[in-house]
Amino acid sequence: MTLLFQCEGDTDGSMLQALRAALPEQQIRRWPDEVGRRDEIEQAVVWMPPEDFFDGLTHLTHIHLLAAGADQLLSHPGLPPSASLLRLEDAGMGDRMAEYVLYGVLHAQRRFGDLAEASRARRWARDIAVPPATEHRVGILGAGVLATLVARRLVANGYPVACWSRSEKSLPDGIRGYVGKQGLVSMLPHIDTLVCLLPLTEATHGILSAELFAKLRPGAYLINCARGGHLCETDLTAALDAGQLTGALLDVFQREPLPQAHPFWQDPRITVTPHLAAPSPVAGSIEQVAANVRAIACGGELSGIVDRSRGY
């Protein structure tokens, strides 16, 4: 079996080396300098492949994505229609994401934004009331593997947590579930911090909008560490100016890197981080890809199968 590996971020070759060590029985070629005969390649391991990547890969049966989100691959103009797509389901990203979200929730609950503003003004702000974690309600848009891990961490730290999904999900004890359009309408008015962990699909594009913000409790806080396409950026600024939102922690943007002239850089109510909430660990990512490659060879069960019709 011949695999083609492409990952622009693997500058030191450590991921390719790990993949070859995990699959010594397979022929693994590196894109673009080791491609060779394209009609011999049966599987590809990719991260943000360029537009011409799939040209001539006429015998491609499976594509392994080195990320949890499949939206960028699904929008690729050259994506073969018949190839099966496999994404990472966790690979160690969950713990990192939980840390990131926990920081954001703590920032909102302990009112560190207000305290920072008081500090800049040299004001001894003993009047800023800080509610306990048990009174700061967190809503998570999403109820998949990552969202569930994040919810568990927040519950362990004393926060009441609810998860919303389009269809019914089985959630761990202590996490309330909301389902469908009516479920979202029911959940939002009770939320102090809203966390977006949804896959980016046609149905979820622009979900973080003025319409949604208006349904939240006044003064709510927003954390988006899913995809930039979920957020209507001008609606966020308007909600902050109106006091409907008090602040936001954003890790993802419609354009990345965030342009130097973008107003988010200058807004003290918004914390910008450079898409690092949950990087894919090399060992866990390669282990999951290698397990799927071996399963394909022997007809075993695959993980992370992408449903193209749903977008994840």
Side-chain angles (χ1 to χ4, degrees), residues 164-166 178-189 215:
W164 173 81
S165 57
R166 289 196 300 162
Y178 289 86
V179 180
K181 290 184 179 180
Q182 188 54 50
L184 184 60
V185 171
S186 299
M187 181 183 80
L188 291 175
K215 293 181 173 67

Side-chain angles (χ1 to χ4, degrees), residues 67-69 87-103 140 144-154 157 195 197 225 276-282 284-285 288:
R87 63 178 180 83
L88 299 180
E89 288 196 312
D90 178 8
M93 295 175 287
D95 288 339
R96 304 295 299 277
M97 185 67 79
E99 292 171 356
Y100 184 94
V101 173
L102 178 59
Y103 162 77
I140 300 176
V145 174
L146 286 179
T148 301
L149 287 167
V150 169
R152 286 180 184 271
R153 179 70 67 89
L154 294 171
N157 281 270
V195 182
L197 285 170
C225 39
L276 48 59
S280 304
V282 171
S285 300
Q288 194 170 130

Side-chain angles (χ1 to χ4, degrees), residues 2-280:
T2 303
L3 287 77
L4 182 60
F5 174 88
Q6 177 275 329
C7 180
E8 185 177 334
D10 188 36
T11 54
D12 62 356
S14 59
M15 189 166 281
L16 175 60
Q17 183 179 357
L19 184 64
R20 284 174 168 162
L23 296 168
E25 71 280 9
Q26 308 296 343
Q27 182 181 132
I28 302 174
R29 302 176 184 175
R30 181 180 59 199
W31 188 92
D33 51 328
E34 297 176 359
V35 176
R37 286 188 53 181
R38 290 176 173 262
D39 60 355
E40 296 176 342
I41 296 167
E42 300 164 86
Q43 298 183 44
V45 181
V46 303
W47 184 76
M48 298 184 68
E51 283 195 12
D52 62 345
F53 177 81
F54 295 108
D55 293 354
L57 301 183
T58 55
H59 291 81
L60 202 62
T61 62
H62 293 81
I63 302 170
H64 306 264
L65 179 60
L66 292 168
D71 52 287
Q72 292 172 333
L73 185 59
L74 287 169
S75 63
H76 195 288
L79 184 66
S82 61
S84 296
L85 312 181
L86 305 166
R87 63 178 180 83
L88 299 180
E89 288 196 312
D90 178 8
M93 295 175 287
D95 288 339
R96 304 295 299 277
M97 185 67 79
E99 292 171 356
Y100 184 94
V101 173
L102 178 59
Y103 162 77
V105 173
L106 281 164
H107 180 92
Q109 176 242 328
R110 296 304 300 261
R111 299 185 63 181
F112 281 117
D114 294 334
L115 290 167
E117 183 179 353
S119 176
R120 288 190 292 270
R122 302 181 186 182
R123 184 170 73 85
W124 191 253
R126 296 279 295 180
D127 57 312
I128 294 178
V130 177
T134 53
E135 296 178 9
H136 189 91
R137 289 165 289 188
V138 182
I140 300 176
L141 301 180
V145 174
L146 286 179
T148 301
L149 287 167
V150 169
R152 286 180 184 271
R153 179 70 67 89
L154 294 171
V155 168
N157 281 270
Y159 295 100
V161 180
C163 288
W164 173 81
S165 57
R166 289 196 300 162
S167 57
E168 194 76 40
K169 302 285 187 181
S170 177
L171 294 170
D173 291 343
I175 302 168
R176 184 169 181 178
Y178 289 86
V179 180
K181 290 184 179 180
Q182 188 54 50
L184 184 60
V185 171
S186 299
M187 181 183 80
L188 291 175
H190 307 289
I191 297 307
D192 297 295
T193 292
L194 184 69
V195 182
C196 184
L197 285 170
L198 290 167
L200 183 61
T201 66
E202 185 176 340
T204 65
H205 194 280
I207 191 172
L208 301 176
S209 64
E211 181 182 0
L212 181 144
F213 297 149
K215 293 181 173 67
L216 288 166
R217 292 187 68 188
Y221 190 83
L222 175 68
I223 301 173
N224 185 21
C225 39
R227 286 290 186 267
H230 288 121
L231 176 64
C232 297
E233 295 182 348
T234 55
D235 287 3
L236 171 60
T237 301
L240 289 167
D241 290 343
Q244 181 62 20
L245 297 179
T246 57
L249 172 61
L250 306 178
D251 189 53
V252 288
F253 305 90
Q254 293 177 13
R255 285 185 59 192
E256 296 182 5
L258 189 66
Q260 289 285 314
H262 198 287
F264 283 177
W265 288 115
Q266 303 298 323
D267 194 327
R269 302 165 298 186
I270 297 174
T271 300
V272 171
T273 59
H275 203 148
L276 48 59
S280 304

